[in-house]
C-alpha cells in the first residue's frame, strides 16, 4: 500500500512538473516585453548631466583663457567660437533631451578647442619667436577658425528635427493656401507702394544677421532718471557692455585715487587726457585751491554710479547733431 502511494506521489509530481514547465514556457513565449525604465532613465539622466557639465566646464575654461590671451587675433577668433557655443549651450539647457545630439560638439570639437588653447598658452610661456613656433601658432589660429564652422554645423544638427518640422509645416500651409486659390504676391523690390513705403530687399534674407554685442545693460537707475526727465532722449548713450563693468569700475577707482592723493598736481586730469587742465592744476599746486578741488572731485568719482561715470568719462563717441557738431 505504501509503495502504491509512493508511485502515485511520484506520478503526480512528474505530471505537475511537465504541465507547469509547459505553462511557464508558453507564458514566456507569449508575454508582452516590458523594459525596466526606472534604472535606465536614471542612468540616462546622469549621462546627460555629465556631458552638459563637461561642456560648461570647457566653455568656462575657454572664456577665462580668452580674457588672458595677449594675442588679439586669437582672442577675437575665440570670441566667435564662444558666442556660438553659448547659444548652443543655452539651447541644450532648455532642451536637455537633445544633449546626446551634441556629443560630437562636446566630446570632440570643443574638447579640441580647449586643447589647442592650452598648447598655445604653453608656447606663449616659452616666449620663443622662431619661424617654426610662429608657423605653428598661425596653424592653431586657422584651426580655431575652421572650428567655428564646425560649431555652427553641430548647432544645426541639434535643431535639425525642429528645422524639418517647421519646413514641413510651411509646405502644408502652402498646399492649403494653393488649394483655396490663395497665391503668394510678387513683391517689386525697391519700388514704392501706394503708402510711400519702399519694398523690402529680399536679398537681405540670405545674408547673415549681424549679432549685436552680447549682454547689453540698461541701468535701472538711468531708466528712473529718464522717467523723471533728468536725461535727454538718447538711450543709446546709456548702454554699455556688461562685460566691461569691471574695467569701468577699475578706471573709476584709479581716477578717484589720483584725484584724492595726487590731485594737487593734476594727476587725475592727465589720466583723463585733459592735459591743459592738468598743467593748470600743476602750476597752481603751490596754493591749496587745487588740493581742495581735486579732493571733492575724487570723492565725487568714488561715489558716482558706474553708469554716470561711464557716460561722462569713459564713453568715447560723443553725440552729434545733423551738422556734425557736438550737441550741448
Amino acid at each position: 500500500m505504501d509503495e502504491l502511494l509512493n508511485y502515485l506521489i511520484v506520478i503526480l509530481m512528474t505530471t505537475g512538473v511537465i504541465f507547469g514547465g509547459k505553462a511557464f514556457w508558453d507564458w514566456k513565449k507569449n508575454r508582452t516585453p516590458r523594459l525596466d525604465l526606472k534604472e535606465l532613465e536614471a542612468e540616462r539622466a546622469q549621462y546627460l548631466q555629465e556631458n552638459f557639465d563637461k561642456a560648461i566646464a570647457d566653455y568656462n575654461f575657454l572664456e577665462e583663457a580668452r580674457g588672458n590671451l595677449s594675442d588679439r587675433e586669437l582672442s577675437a577668433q575665440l570670441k566667435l567660437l564662444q558666442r556660438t557655443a553659448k547659444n548652443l549651450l543655452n539651447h541644450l539647457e532648455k532642451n536637455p533631451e537633445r544633449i546626446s545630439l551634441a556629443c560630437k560638439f562636446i566630446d570632440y570639437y570643443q574638447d579640441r578647442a580647449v586643447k589647442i588653447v592650452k598648447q598655445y598658452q604653453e608656447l606663449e610661456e616659452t616666449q620663443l619667436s622662431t619661424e617654426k613656433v610662429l608657423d605653428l601658432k598661425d596653424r592653431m589660429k586657422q584651426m580655431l577658425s575652421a572650428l567655428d564652422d564646425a560649431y555652427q554645423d553641430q548647432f544645426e544638427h541639434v535643431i535639425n528635427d525642429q528645422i524639418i518640422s517647421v519646413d514641413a509645416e510651411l509646405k502644408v500651409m502652402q498646399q492649403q493656401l494653393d488649394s483655396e486659390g490663395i497665391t503668394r504676391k510678387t513683391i517689386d523690390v525697391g519700388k514704392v507702394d501706394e503708402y510711400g513705403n519702399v519694398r523690402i530687399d529680399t536679398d537681405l534674407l540670405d545674408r547673415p544677421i549681424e549679432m549685436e554685442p552680447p549682454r547689453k545693460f540698461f541701468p535701472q537707475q538711468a531708466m528712473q532718471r529718464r522717467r523723471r526727465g533728468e536725461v535727454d532722449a538718447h538711450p543709446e548713450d546709456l548702454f554699455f557692455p556688461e562685460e566691461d563693468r569691471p574695467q569701468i569700475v577699475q578706471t573709476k577707482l584709479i581716477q578717484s585715487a589720483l584725484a584724492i592723493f595726487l590731485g594737487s598736481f593734476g594727476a587725475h586730469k592727465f589720466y583723463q587726457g585733459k592735459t591743459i587742465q592738468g598743467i593748470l592744476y600743476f602750476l597752481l599746486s603751490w596754493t591749496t585751491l587745487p588740493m581742495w578741488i581735486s579732493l571733492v572731485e575724487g570723492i565725487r568719482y568714488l561715489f558716482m554710479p558706474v553708469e554716470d561715470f561711464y557716460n561722462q568719462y569713459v564713453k568715447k563717441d560723443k553725440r552729434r547733431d545733423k551738422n556734425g557738431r557736438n550737441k550741448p
Side-chain angles (χ1 to χ4, degrees), residues 112-155:
R112 295 302 94 181
V114 170
K115 188 174 181 179
I116 291 174
V117 171
K118 287 182 178 179
Q119 292 173 341
Y120 192 93
Q121 290 176 330
E122 292 175 359
L123 288 177
E124 285 283 284
E125 292 175 358
T126 63
Q127 297 183 355
L128 291 174
S129 58
T130 62
E131 182 178 354
K132 194 170 184 178
V133 172
L134 294 177
D135 178 67
L136 185 58
K137 287 183 178 180
D138 289 337
R139 289 167 57 192
M140 288 180 175
K141 296 176 186 177
Q142 293 174 5
M143 184 56 64
L144 286 178
S145 178
L147 283 178
D148 187 28
D149 294 334
Y151 273 32
Q152 296 186 33
D153 289 341
Q154 278 294 293
F155 200 171

Side-chain angles (χ1 to χ4, degrees), residues 264-280:
S264 299
F265 305 100
H268 61 298
K269 295 299 181 182
F270 288 113
Y271 182 76
Q272 296 173 14
K274 300 178 180 179
T275 307
I276 297 178
Q277 296 184 21
I279 295 175
L280 183 62

